[in-house]
Amino acid sequence: MTALVPLLVALPLLGAAITLVFGRSPRLQVLVSAITLASVSVIAAILLVVVDRSGTPIAVSVGGWPVPFGIVLYVDRLAALLVLTSAIVLLAVLLFSIGQGAADGAEDTPTSIFNPSYLILAAGIFNAFIAGDLFNLYVGFEILLVASYVLITLGSTESRIRTGSVYIVVSLVSSILFLAAIAAIYGAVGTVNMAQVAERVAQLPQETQLVLHLLLVIAFGIKAAIFPVSFWLPDSYPTAPAPVTAVFAGLLTKVGVYALIRTETQLFAQNSIDTLLMVVGLATMIIGILGAVAQAELKRILSFTLVSHVGYMIFGLAIATEAGVGATVYYIVHHIVVQTTLFLAVGLIERRAGSTSILRVKGLMKAAPLLAVLYFVPAINLGGLPPFSGFIGKIGLFQAAADVGTPLLYVLIGGGILTSLLTLYALMRAWNLAFWREDDDTAEEGETRHGYLAGAPAADEQQERRRIPAIMTIATGGMVGVTLVLTIFAGPLYALCDRIGSGLLQPVTLVQLDEEAGG
């Protein structure tokens, strides 16, 4: 099985090279991209079954170089699950982009550029998830960021260039901080292999550990868009093409959260900053969702809810128990799928109505009932209504917090409940205005009833309505189906996440395994 591990990164890179060579053959590019992501999905599923049944992670030292000189690729239950989830999401969004490209031509997502960049983005995400050392994790981040710089500015409109520039600057700052943290850690412990770092950093003074710890948390916190370094996200994501926005919203912040999980449970398990994480998690939830309530544009609403729900993941991580970490992993999987689905649904709304402003879009229930369903199901799921996966994930987090029972955790439970209710309010308000409002209502009447939204940013002018190809609806419907699968099979998936939480809090096995892999 060790031979399969490098393929998770090698296949997307090879696919990107092939699509770049055949830039004048869009159909071949699309075929190669789809086959590549489908193959990674199958490989990730096989690896997940193997590591889950055996209980033993797979570590591969690339090129046979010993630790700490070689690059270690490391696949445990967490890495395999996130690679599988990401590959499925990337494949669905690719199908969505195929439909958009077929309908609009190369205007919004030029195929010759989009497919190679998309596969390089996938390679970076997969590499980050299976990196066994900090520098390889940094390389994974840089691969996906370079590709994301291209994708976020596709179309070269003024707004995309402007917001893309902000995204690039923030990403570069985060990368510099991460690289500085790697240098400091190497200087302190003489290695960047995660297993060896976890073993050796515990021998450092607590003050030194705290400085190194906070350097990583700040760098990863920017990438995860946690408060107070989340300001860049709501302005960056909404201007990109619909497929790009969907995959960014679903995956990029989760790579940052994943890095935080590794940091808190393995690298610095003996240097607790749980109280700080609790405060940050609460602020991220509340401030993010208040921002969503103040928006009148669907993409910005979803971007702010994205920030707020990253707060749930920080909340679960701060609990620092097996149940808390397991619930966090389940919530990450849920949020990747549901948030991506909502952005795809909003992409369909934009094409059908010509706008994403909830003050302008109206009458869609009669005009597009299927679209109403495709938006409604993931919306109530994200809001946490039972019996959906969002409700299950939140209950898991609240139960894990109640089991610890500190006053601050009870405050976080209250904040989580409030955030869930406000999420439901923001998304259902959008549902009411865009779908239930009569088609003969004017935008001015909507502004009168919701006057505080009239001055909200990014309420764009009405644009030309566009045809929705069947494949775009199928891709979005397929993702809605995946959200339902997370609910139907919540029992086995949650049990898997519990095993992940248990395994992450046992660093001795990780150290032994990585050292064996290095020879």
Side-chain angles (χ1 to χ4, degrees):
M1 288 298 166
T2 55
L4 294 178
V5 175
L7 293 179
L8 296 175
V9 179
L11 284 178
L13 290 177
L14 178 61
I18 294 173
T19 55
L20 195 59
V21 170
F22 294 98
R24 296 185 178 181
S25 179
R27 291 185 178 180
L28 181 59
Q29 280 195 326
V30 166
L31 181 62
V32 169
S33 300
I35 291 174
T36 299
L37 293 175
S39 300
V40 171
S41 300
V42 172
I43 293 171
I46 293 171
L47 291 173
L48 178 59
V49 172
V50 170
V51 297
D52 187 41
R53 287 181 176 177
S54 67
T56 304
I58 300 172
V60 178
S61 187
V62 178
W65 291 90
V67 175
F69 306 106
I71 296 174
V72 174
L73 302 179
Y74 178 79
V75 177
D76 60 357
R77 293 184 180 107
L78 175 61
L81 177 62
L82 291 183
V83 170
L84 175 59
T85 306
S86 301
I88 292 171
V89 166
L90 285 162
L91 183 58
V93 175
L94 176 67
L95 296 177
F96 186 95
S97 71
I98 292 171
Q100 178 170 300
D104 301 343
E107 177 184 348
D108 223 23
T109 52
T111 306
S112 60
I113 301 173
F114 177 81
N115 283 282
S117 302
Y118 194 74
L119 289 177
I120 292 172
L121 178 81
I125 292 170
F126 301 150
N127 186 69
F129 285 147
I130 66 174
D133 64 75
L134 287 171
F135 190 76
N136 194 31
L137 178 60
Y138 171 80
V139 170
F141 273 121
E142 291 310 296
I143 292 173
L144 71 90
L145 287 175
V146 167
S148 67
Y149 298 157
V150 177
L151 293 171
I152 202 169
T153 55
L154 282 178
S156 300
T157 63
E158 180 183 349
S159 61
R160 290 177 185 175
I161 297 297
R162 184 183 67 253
T163 57
S165 298
V166 173
Y167 174 78
I168 290 170
V169 170
V170 171
S171 298
L172 287 175
V173 170
S174 173
S175 296
I176 291 170
L177 288 173
F178 186 16
L179 195 59
I182 292 172
I185 289 171
Y186 185 80
V189 300
T191 183
V192 292
N193 176 268
M194 290 188 189
Q196 292 184 327
V197 170
E199 184 179 56
R200 298 178 187 180
V201 79
Q203 301 169 12
L204 298 175
Q206 283 292 320
E207 294 79 5
T208 304
Q209 290 187 48
L210 181 61
V211 171
L212 299 176
H213 192 174
L214 289 177
L215 277 174
L216 285 182
V217 168
I218 294 171
F220 296 149
I222 295 173
K223 297 180 185 297
I226 64 175
F227 180 84
V229 287
S230 57
F231 61 90
W232 58 271
L233 190 149
D235 286 329
S236 299
Y237 285 6
T239 59
V244 175
T245 304
V247 79
F248 278 23
L251 293 176
L252 294 198
T253 54
K254 309 312 181 302
V255 179
V257 174
Y258 166 83
L260 284 171
I261 291 175
R262 294 292 188 194
T263 300
E264 297 306 309
T265 61
Q266 295 176 351
L267 298 183
F268 291 94
Q270 305 304 316
N271 185 253
S272 174
I273 56 168
D274 294 340
T275 301
L276 173 62
L277 290 177
M278 290 178 195
V279 173
V280 168
L282 179 62
T284 303
M285 285 191 293
I286 298 300
I287 293 175
I289 199 58
L290 290 178
V293 170
Q295 303 305 309
E297 199 267 338
L298 279 167
K299 290 182 181 179
R300 290 183 64 85
I301 291 172
L302 292 182
S303 295
F304 275 101
T305 63
L306 168 59
V307 171
S308 72
H309 284 249
V310 168
Y312 282 106
M313 302 166 205
I314 306 304
F315 167 22
L317 187 57
I319 298 171
T321 64
E322 294 180 5
V325 175
T328 300
V329 174
Y330 180 86
Y331 201 84
I332 289 172
V333 174
H334 147 80
H335 197 261
I336 287 174
V337 175
V338 172
Q339 193 78 42
T340 303
T341 306
L342 275 170
F343 270 101
L344 292 181
V346 169
L348 297 182
I349 291 173
E350 185 174 25
R351 297 184 69 86
R352 180 64 180 79
S355 175
T356 54
S357 170
I358 59 176
L359 298 180
R360 297 183 178 277
V361 179
K362 52 188 178 295
L364 288 183
M365 177 60 74
K366 292 181 179 179
L370 178 58
L371 181 54
V373 174
L374 296 179
Y375 173 86
F376 183 77
V377 173
I380 61 174
N381 194 339
L382 189 67
L385 285 187
F388 294 101
S389 57
F391 173 78
I392 296 169
K394 291 182 178 70
I395 289 297
L397 291 171
F398 297 160
Q399 182 62 56
D403 288 343
V404 177
T406 64
L408 184 54
L409 281 175
Y410 280 118
V411 172
L412 274 161
I413 292 173
I417 294 171
L418 176 62
T419 300
S420 187
L421 293 174
L422 289 177
T423 300
L424 198 61
Y425 167 73
L427 295 178
M428 289 301 99
R429 179 191 62 189
W431 158 270
N432 181 52
L433 291 176
F435 289 92
W436 280 113
R437 187 163 48 133
E438 294 297 330
D439 196 37
D440 55 359
D441 284 355
T442 65
E444 290 72 18
E445 289 173 340
E447 292 176 3
T448 300
R449 288 193 295 268
H450 302 273
Y452 66 97
L453 292 179
D460 295 334
E461 295 293 330
Q462 190 82 1
Q463 304 297 318
E464 179 185 357
R465 297 182 182 185
R466 298 181 179 182
R467 180 178 63 88
I468 300 177
I471 192 171
M472 297 177 72
T473 305
I474 292 171
T476 308
M479 285 297 294
V480 172
V482 175
T483 68
L484 297 178
V485 167
L486 295 182
T487 300
I488 296 170
F489 295 98
L493 177 59
Y494 206 97
L496 170 63
C497 293
D498 277 340
R499 293 193 292 274
I500 291 173
S502 176
L504 287 173
L505 297 179
Q506 297 176 10
V508 174
T509 302
L510 175 66
V511 172
Q512 293 172 344
L513 180 66
D514 270 347
E515 291 184 343
E516 290 172 5

